């Protein structure tokens, strides 16, 4: 996945300093469907409410991955690297996320409910080293996303297998995915296979393809340089 | 520093190009210089973007509209035009019924209006023109694929390129008059949807040397269906790129 070195790098340029934010100029005749006055305060800037919709935005083929084949590994800078099977992961204390999710393609979805296990429960079993600062989350497809360790600890990230009380659909990352709801949803790797703890930041798939390294929706960290 | 971590998993699809973070982060004023109807539901918008840094076929941009009170709406749109030095680019938009952004562009926007764009974005779906490419698109999903075909023609490339495009009827087929021998159109109302038989001539023994890089673009339903057909036909998963319009 991260093997971009063998690829032609036709527009490769060094990263430039961030530009100052450009203010929007009004568009002739555009009023907007949602008025600013009654804009839902749960909506980060530049987002719209997808309501009942749940767009699917993955770059790869949805894998044929069953619960029996699914495993989840945590390794790298940890005391006791470990791989969990489906049943072993389900034996950990159940935890739920209820709240909102935000995709960089501009939709947000309010009041979703995911069931699974807090990432803290997995990390407690492997014992992160004091030197670990970042993680690479990777999926059974080879997709990767980088995250500061602080963004996936302290009750801020989950491995989930249920959506709204039902098994998570394959196209939404089933049988199990990561969710890190306070960041844009590309960080919430579908078909999660593992986390590697590192002492440095290592850009993942979309980050190498021009997206922001952190991805905070409230700061509109969409693209590199934002 | 350390060698990058490569996960011990299959199907890895590498990015194609690295993207300039400068052009991706700056909003620019874009002047609408032409609006052309393609089908009853789709139109092409030609935009003059003074500081456009160029793009590769397959890339997209983000377009932003702003209301007088500061409310903004932004959506992603694929580049329809081939890279050239005209300083203008083209987008082709479906008119989503009730759609906030596509609705404005289809019913209110006129030549001479300004909108804002940032991009090009994302190198993942880009096709630099270097490898044989098998393109599968449906509806407005053909837009980034048409950019590839236009690029192939303009640049006089000889690398194999094939397009299978799906639309309900011929009247719904975007760019219908522009397709050549490289294209097979599947008109679903008359023939039913894309099936393995449409792909069979190109997979297996029909592949070019080294195989295809496959590009799939359209709604999620189409993307799921078409990518399954490719996998079932033997196309390696790590040589399939998918752009889903939502
Ligand atoms: C990478 C990428 C590239 C893309 N490229 C293209 C392209 O080349 N061409 C193209 O046409 N599209 C493209 N799209 C899709 C595009 O970004 C938009 O999703 C599309 O134009 C619809 O936006 P909209 O603002 O018009 O509709 P939205 O307002 O977002 O609405 C979408 C649909 O939901 C319904 N809806 C939304 N809100 C409500 C509500 N409150 N009440 C009732 N109904 C509602 C609308 O009726 C409409 O049918 C692309 C998407 C991506 C992610």
């Amino acid at each position: 996945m991260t093997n971009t070195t063998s690829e032609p790098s036709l527009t490769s340029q060094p990263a430039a300093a961030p530009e100052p934010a450009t203010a929007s100029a009004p568009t002739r005749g555009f009023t907007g469907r949602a008025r600013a006055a009654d804009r839902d305060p749960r909506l980060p800037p530049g987002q719209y409410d997808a309501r009942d919709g749940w767009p699917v935005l993955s770059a790869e083929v949805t894998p044929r991955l069953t619960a029996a084949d699914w495993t989840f590994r945590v390794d790298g800078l940890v005391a006791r690297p470990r791989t969990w099977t489906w049943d072993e992961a389900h034996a950990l204390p159940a935890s739920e996320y209820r709240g909102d999710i935000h995709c960089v393609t501009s939709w947000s979805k309010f009041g979703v409910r995911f069931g699974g296990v807090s990432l803290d429960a997995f990390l407690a079993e492997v014992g992160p080293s004091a030197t670990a600062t970042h993680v690479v989350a990777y999926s059974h497809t080879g997709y990767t996303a980088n995250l500061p360790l602080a963004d996936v600890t302290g009750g801020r990230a989950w491995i989930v297998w249920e959506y709204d009380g039902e098994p998570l659909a394959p196209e939404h990352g089933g049988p199990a995915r990561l969710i890190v709801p306070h960041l844009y949803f590309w960080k919430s790797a579908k078909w999660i296979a593992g986390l590697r703890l590192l002492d440095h930041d290592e850009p993942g798939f979309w980050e190498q393809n021009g997206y922001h390294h952190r991805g905070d929706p409230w700061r509109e960290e969409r693209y590199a340089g934002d | 520093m350390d060698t990058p971590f490569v996960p011990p998993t299959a199907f890895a699809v590498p990015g194609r190009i690295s993207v300039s973070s400068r052009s991706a982060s700056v909003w620019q004023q874009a002047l609408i210089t032409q609006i052309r109807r393609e089908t009853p539901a789709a139109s092409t918008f030609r935009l003059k973007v003074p500081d456009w840094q160029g793009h590769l076929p397959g890339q997209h941009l983000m377009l932003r509209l702003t209301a007088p009170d500061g409310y903004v709406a932004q959506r992603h749109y694929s580049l329809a035009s081939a890279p050239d030095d005209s300083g203008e680019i083209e987008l082709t938009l479906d008119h989503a019924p009730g759609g906030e952004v596509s609705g404005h562009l289809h019913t209110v926007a006129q030549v001479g209006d300004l909108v804002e764009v940032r991009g090009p974005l994302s190198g993942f779906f880009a096709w630099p023109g270097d490898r044989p490419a098998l393109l599968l698109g449906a509806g407005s999903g053909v837009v980034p694929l048409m950019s590839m075909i236009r690029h192939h023609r303009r640049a006089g490339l000889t690398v194999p390129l094939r397009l299978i495009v799906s639309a309900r009827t011929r009247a719904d087929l975007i760019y219908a008059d522009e397709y050549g021998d490289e294209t097979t159109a599947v008109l679903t109302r008359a023939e039913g949807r894309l099936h393995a038989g449409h792909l069979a001539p190109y997979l297996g023994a029909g592949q070019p040397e080294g195989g295809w890089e496959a590009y799939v673009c359209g709604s999620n339903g189409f993307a799921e269906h078409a990518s399954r057909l490719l996998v079932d036909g033997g196309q390696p998963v790590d040589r399939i790129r998918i752009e889903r319009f939502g």
Side-chain angles (χ1 to χ4, degrees), chain A residues 1-4 6-20 22-37 39 45-48 54-64 75 104-106 136 138-144 171 191 193 196 198-202 205-206 208-211 220 222-226, chain B residues 1-29 53 55-56 59-60 62 64-76 98-101 104 108-110 113-116 118 121-125 128-131 220 224 227-228 231-232 237 240-246:
Chain A
M1 168 65 51
T2 53
N3 179 25
T4 46
S6 64
E7 297 293 317
S9 184
L10 299 184
T11 61
S12 181
Q13 299 171 24
E19 294 284 316
T22 37
S24 324
T27 313
R28 186 196 65 78
F30 180 68
T31 50
R33 189 169 49 215
R35 307 305 310 138
R39 191 173 162 80
Q47 298 291 109
Y48 72 97
W54 188 2
V56 175
L57 289 148
S58 36
E60 57 293 52
V61 179
T62 300
R64 288 181 222 244
D75 63 12
V104 71
T105 63
S106 307
V136 176
Y138 59 95
S139 73
H140 283 272
T141 65
Y143 177 84
T144 53
E171 63 191 27
W191 314 297
R196 171 157 294 188
L198 305 170
D199 61 5
H200 60 278
D201 193 8
E202 198 173 285
F205 177 76
W206 284 120
Q208 290 172 41
N209 278 285
Y211 285 69
E220 279 205 87
R222 297 174 190 275
Y223 301 101
D226 275 350
Chain B
M1 188 139 67
D2 316 59
T3 44
F5 167 62
V6 179
T9 49
F11 325 135
V13 181
R16 297 304 320 269
I17 56 161
S18 44
V19 177
S20 156
S21 55
R22 188 187 166 273
S23 55
S25 64
V26 181
W27 286 105
Q28 298 190 55
Q29 300 267 348
Q53 300 294 304
H55 65 275
L56 286 176
Q59 286 191 283
H60 58 260
M62 196 180 258
R64 170 168 89 176
L65 307 177
T66 304
D69 61 2
Y71 170 79
V72 299
Q74 50 186 352
R75 301 286 186 274
H76 285 105
E100 184 169 32
V101 173
H104 171 86
V108 180
Q110 296 168 1
D113 282 358
L114 291 168
V115 296
E116 288 176 298
R118 67 192 297 201
L121 306 171
S122 181
F124 165 74
F125 201 72
D130 54 344
R131 299 184 189 168
N220 179 57
E224 285 291 304
S227 60
R228 275 268 167 272
V231 173
D232 292 344
V237 276
I240 302 175
R241 289 158 205 281
I242 306 181
E243 185 98 287
R244 302 170 199 249
F245 281 1

Side-chain angles (χ1 to χ4, degrees), chain A residues 33 48-51 57 105 211, chain B residues 60-61 73-80 91-104 106 140-141 143-144 217 243-246:
Chain A
R33 189 169 49 215
Y48 72 97
D49 178 359
R51 295 168 190 252
L57 289 148
T105 63
Y211 285 69
Chain B
H60 58 260
L61 54 62
Q74 50 186 352
R75 301 286 186 274
H76 285 105
Y77 293 103
S78 299
L79 277 310
L91 310 177
T92 302
L93 270 67
D94 252 338
H95 186 177
E100 184 169 32
V101 173
S102 67
H104 171 86
H106 276 267
S140 58
V143 172
C217 187
E243 185 98 287
R244 302 170 199 249
F245 281 1

Side-chain angles (χ1 to χ4, degrees), chain B residues 77-91:
Chain B
Y77 293 103
S78 299
L79 277 310
S81 45
D84 63 27
D85 53 11
S86 65
E88 301 197 6
I89 54 171
E90 290 186 355
L91 310 177

Side-chain angles (χ1 to χ4, degrees), chain A residues 70-95:
Chain A
W70 181 83
T71 53
F72 177 61
R73 178 169 177 82
V74 182
D75 63 12
L77 296 173
V78 301
R80 297 169 297 278
R82 163 148 199 206
T83 304
W84 289 263
T85 64
W86 183 256
D87 289 342
E88 287 164 352
H90 281 68
L92 292 168
S95 174

